[in-house]
Amino acid sequence: MNRMFKSIILSSLLFGTLSFSTEIETLTAPTNNVLELIQKYQLEQVDYNYVKKAINQGNRNSVNAVLIDARPEIKYQKGTIPSSLNIPDTKFDEYYSVLKDIPKEKEIIVYCGGYNCTKSPIVAEKLKEKGYTNVKVYPAGEPEWNKLSYLEIDTSVVKAYQEQNLALIVDARPYAKFLQETIPGAISIPDTNLSKLIGRFPINKKEKIVVFCGGYSCEKSHIVANKLKSLGYEEVMVYAAGLPAWKESGEATTAFSKTVIQEKIPKKEQFSKNGLKLGSDDGSVDGEWLKKLILDDKVPSYIQIVDVTSNNEFKTGHIKGAINIEAGKISANELLEKLPKNKTIVFNCTTGGRAIEAWSKLKDAKFDMSEIYYLDANISCKDNNCKIDVNEPLL
């Protein structure tokens, strides 16, 4: 996933060659479902260049507009457009307070998981109902932005990269600040010395690079990230919360070592009791494992794939053998009641967001989740011919 999280969200390689792949069009405009909502709510659409100009340098103090990521929190944490705030459409009332200090006339741009994602117009309309007068939508959303620019990631993602040595971590603050305290393993490349120190970056332009500085108001990490993107580095990320958030979360720095209590960590199970291969993230199925089974038409009978999109989306195309339950419109109890019994359930949708939400809805209701999972993947189908790009796990 040339994406993070998040989706941060990077697409994994397909297994084999899909003979039908040329039949599935890459979306270049909002789907009918999305367009109907945009027109119904009378929302203005903006493009990548408009958003790029709106966020200015990328740090929160410099933006001309407030960006709202309408995807689930886990998607937001894995990778979001720099400076964005998170208001998931299904938890609007819970997250809406992030705008408490934003004037009603301030320009707000809402986006989500691309041209087939309805979350952004839904959140945009709710903001208009709250009295915001200048609300727009960026329909191409995170997928397009991720291809053209860099993403902002959460502390949890940086921690995972650091612990597993998966990325080069760069401190863009002055060298004196670096010497005082930094994230263990980081190297110092101050933005003011960037031209002189550019040779310290990897030759391989596909290496993951995470840049940070002094927090959300600091533009130094964004300066370095923009320069790296202009030089052709493909997997550049900014840890915009920076060293302040790292310290606040209790993580060790070079000036402070966290006391580690040695505990026996239980071995993580690889399969569910029924035999489903588990993914790295809590509640996820191993996406590549399931994708191969789907494409080979060999999904075991104990697995029931449940497509949680709308009925219209489901009719357009879906994974062979899947059933349709629009989970977003029903309660946790109703959802559980509709699920087939004595099956291992795997939720799926078009970008992974609604599947995660369906799983989270049941988990939050304290139901038994031992055989209920989600597939975090970008899926586009024509009839039963599906292109599946598995999203990179956080861990």
Side-chain angles (χ1 to χ4, degrees):
M1 146 172 70
N2 193 359
R3 73 185 295 275
M4 288 302 317
F5 239 168
K6 28 281 39 67
S7 45
I8 240 112
I9 265 26
L10 306 172
S11 297
S12 303
L13 295 175
L14 293 175
F15 281 89
T17 301
L18 305 183
S19 60
F20 53 82
S21 61
T22 56
E23 300 175 10
I24 300 173
E25 297 180 358
T26 300
L27 294 176
T28 56
T31 61
N32 288 337
N33 288 336
V34 176
L35 190 59
E36 286 175 6
L37 290 177
I38 290 173
Q39 294 172 342
K40 177 181 178 181
Y41 301 143
Q42 298 181 330
L43 298 168
E44 181 181 342
Q45 301 180 57
V46 298
D47 61 13
Y48 169 81
N49 289 327
Y50 187 96
V51 177
K52 184 73 172 175
K53 185 177 180 180
I55 69 169
N56 204 351
Q57 188 59 56
N59 61 306
R60 292 188 182 180
N61 284 0
S62 71
V63 297
N64 300 319
V66 176
L67 266 64
I68 301 297
D69 188 336
R71 300 174 301 153
E73 184 179 22
I74 188 172
K75 290 281 191 180
Y76 170 79
Q77 292 173 337
K78 288 183 176 182
T80 192
I81 298 175
S83 80
S84 296
L85 304 176
N86 186 212
I87 305 180
D89 65 315
T90 55
K91 296 185 177 181
F92 181 87
D93 293 334
E94 180 181 343
Y95 284 72
Y96 168 69
S97 61
V98 299
L99 294 178
K100 64 181 185 299
D101 297 323
I102 304 298
K104 298 292 185 180
E105 66 275 10
K106 183 72 174 180
E107 182 180 20
I108 297 178
I109 301 173
V110 191
Y111 67 93
C112 55
Y115 286 122
N116 59 354
C117 179
T118 58
K119 295 177 178 296
S120 53
I122 290 171
V123 169
E125 171 61 10
K126 289 183 178 181
L127 290 174
K128 290 178 68 175
E129 291 174 356
K130 290 288 188 180
Y132 288 92
T133 58
N134 190 9
V135 184
K136 301 178 174 67
V137 290
Y138 171 35
E142 184 273 342
E144 179 183 72
W145 184 274
N146 189 24
K147 290 179 181 178
L148 301 175
S149 189
Y150 63 92
L151 295 176
E152 177 181 313
I153 58 176
D154 182 71
T155 301
S156 58
V157 182
V158 181
K159 185 173 184 292
Y161 284 165
Q162 184 217 36
E163 290 178 343
Q164 300 178 48
N165 195 27
L166 295 177
L168 175 66
I169 301 177
V170 176
D171 188 337
R173 301 174 303 148
Y175 186 59
K177 286 287 188 182
F178 171 83
L179 290 178
Q180 288 174 356
E181 185 176 27
T182 192
I183 296 173
I187 66 169
S188 175
I189 303 185
D191 66 310
T192 52
N193 291 338
L194 184 57
S195 58
K196 184 170 68 174
L197 301 177
I198 201 72
R200 295 186 181 180
F201 287 101
I203 295 175
N204 182 1
K205 297 292 180 71
K206 296 182 181 294
E207 289 286 340
K208 289 184 174 68
I209 302 174
V210 176
V211 191
F212 74 93
C213 57
Y216 287 118
S217 62
C218 177
E219 67 177 15
K220 294 177 178 297
S221 56
H222 299 278
I223 292 171
V224 173
N226 276 307
K227 179 62 175 178
L228 291 175
K229 287 297 294 186
S230 72
L231 293 173
Y233 285 92
E234 298 178 15
E235 303 219 21
V236 181
M237 294 150 274
V238 161
Y239 176 33
L243 188 62
W246 182 265
K247 293 166 65 176
E248 186 177 341
S249 69
E251 298 303 324
T253 69
T254 54
F256 168 73
S257 295
K258 177 171 66 172
T259 300
V260 179
I261 301 175
Q262 295 295 332
E263 296 179 354
K264 187 175 181 180
I265 301 175
K267 184 178 179 181
K268 186 172 181 179
E269 297 294 334
Q270 289 187 305
F271 295 89
S272 75
K273 289 183 179 179
N274 287 350
L276 175 138
K277 189 173 183 181
L278 304 178
S280 300
D281 295 338
D282 188 25
S284 67
V285 61
D286 185 304
E288 295 293 353
W289 174 82
L290 183 59
K291 180 177 78 171
K292 191 172 191 309
L293 293 174
I294 292 170
L295 298 183
D296 290 344
D297 198 17
K298 293 181 179 179
V299 176
S301 60
Y302 69 84
I303 293 177
Q304 178 58 64
I305 297 174
V306 178
D307 188 318
V308 298
T309 64
S310 68
N311 184 252
N312 286 338
E313 290 174 280
F314 183 77
K315 287 180 178 178
T316 299
H318 57 268
I319 295 171
K320 184 177 180 181
I323 62 173
N324 182 219
I325 303 174
E326 191 173 358
K329 292 189 174 182
I330 57 179
S331 68
N333 287 327
E334 291 170 325
L335 175 57
L336 185 68
E337 185 62 29
K338 289 177 177 289
L339 295 178
K341 304 302 183 280
N342 302 316
K343 291 277 190 178
T344 296
I345 304 299
V346 177
F347 294 126
N348 86 275
C349 61
T350 52
T351 63
R354 284 176 284 180
I356 292 172
E357 288 173 341
W359 179 84
S360 298
K361 179 181 288 189
L362 296 179
K363 184 184 180 185
D364 292 345
K366 310 298 183 185
F367 290 126
D368 178 10
M369 305 297 291
S370 59
E371 291 298 331
I372 302 177
Y373 302 93
Y374 65 86
L375 172 61
D376 186 7
N378 291 294
I379 303 173
S380 57
C381 299
K382 182 178 181 182
D383 299 323
N384 289 142
N385 292 334
C386 297
K387 179 182 179 182
I388 304 173
D389 291 327
V390 177
N391 292 329
E392 184 179 358
L394 172 59
L395 300 176

